[in-house]
Amino acid sequence: MSQALLIIDIQAGLCTGKYAVFEAERVIGNVNRISEQARAQGVPVVVIQHEEDEGSLVYNSAGWQLAESLVATPQDVFIRKGASDSFHKTELQAKLQSLGITELIVCGMQSDFCVNSTVRRGLALGYPITLVSDAHSTLDNSVLTAEQIIAHHNETLSQLSSFGVRAQLKTTEEVLSR
């Protein structure tokens, strides 16, 4: 199978300040290690950036920019999106198809929004997915802590079976040892 690594929304507005996700720098460190290996192995790295009409993720604003500590290269594929689903009204699916991609590795922000939506859509499109269990994050909400939300999404997404293909959980170390 031909893999691609999706790095979802690791942007300044989600990694610093009021809306900084839980353990952002640890997550970014894990993502950087995975992406470095992916690039060395010729696995395409797809960097996805969310944008909104107002707020901290307005296109080209300081918050929209990639997080300062995230390593991205000119060889990476860059995708802009306006919905939580990275496939919705973007060129992501066409790009993956043109590269012959049949399997996805997913990491990024936020576990309960864009990571969740993208994993579910990817499964619906027939991609087996490796969700890197310690390389996605979110923030607390009024009901659950970020740690609980992350654990919940790891469990829920890895249990989905109705699409035929599955999302399997792997830690950063497990992904790096392949």
Side-chain angles (χ1 to χ4, degrees), residues 38-55:
R39 289 181 193 100
Q41 294 177 343
V43 172
V45 174
V46 181
V47 179
I48 300 164
Q49 288 171 270
H50 190 84
E51 59 190 60
E52 298 175 347
D53 293 333
E54 55 187 50

Side-chain angles (χ1 to χ4, degrees), residues 50-133:
H50 190 84
E51 59 190 60
E52 298 175 347
D53 293 333
E54 55 187 50
S56 63
L57 297 177
V58 171
Y59 174 69
N60 225 16
S61 69
W64 180 85
Q65 302 301 321
L66 295 175
E68 190 173 310
S69 57
L70 179 69
V71 176
T73 71
Q75 293 74 35
D76 295 340
V77 175
F78 293 87
I79 303 282
R80 293 169 48 194
K81 68 177 182 64
S84 60
D85 172 358
S86 297
F87 292 93
H88 184 71
K89 296 184 179 179
T90 72
E91 66 274 11
L92 179 58
Q93 173 68 342
K95 188 63 177 174
L96 295 174
Q97 288 176 328
S98 75
L99 294 170
I101 302 302
T102 57
E103 183 177 338
L104 302 175
I105 303 166
V106 175
C107 55
M109 318 221 164
Q110 289 179 245
S111 306
D112 43 344
F113 293 101
C114 300
V115 171
N116 176 51
S117 297
T118 300
V119 167
R120 288 174 186 268
R121 179 72 173 275
L123 291 170
L125 291 170
Y127 293 101
I129 293 176
T130 298
L131 176 60
V132 188
S133 62

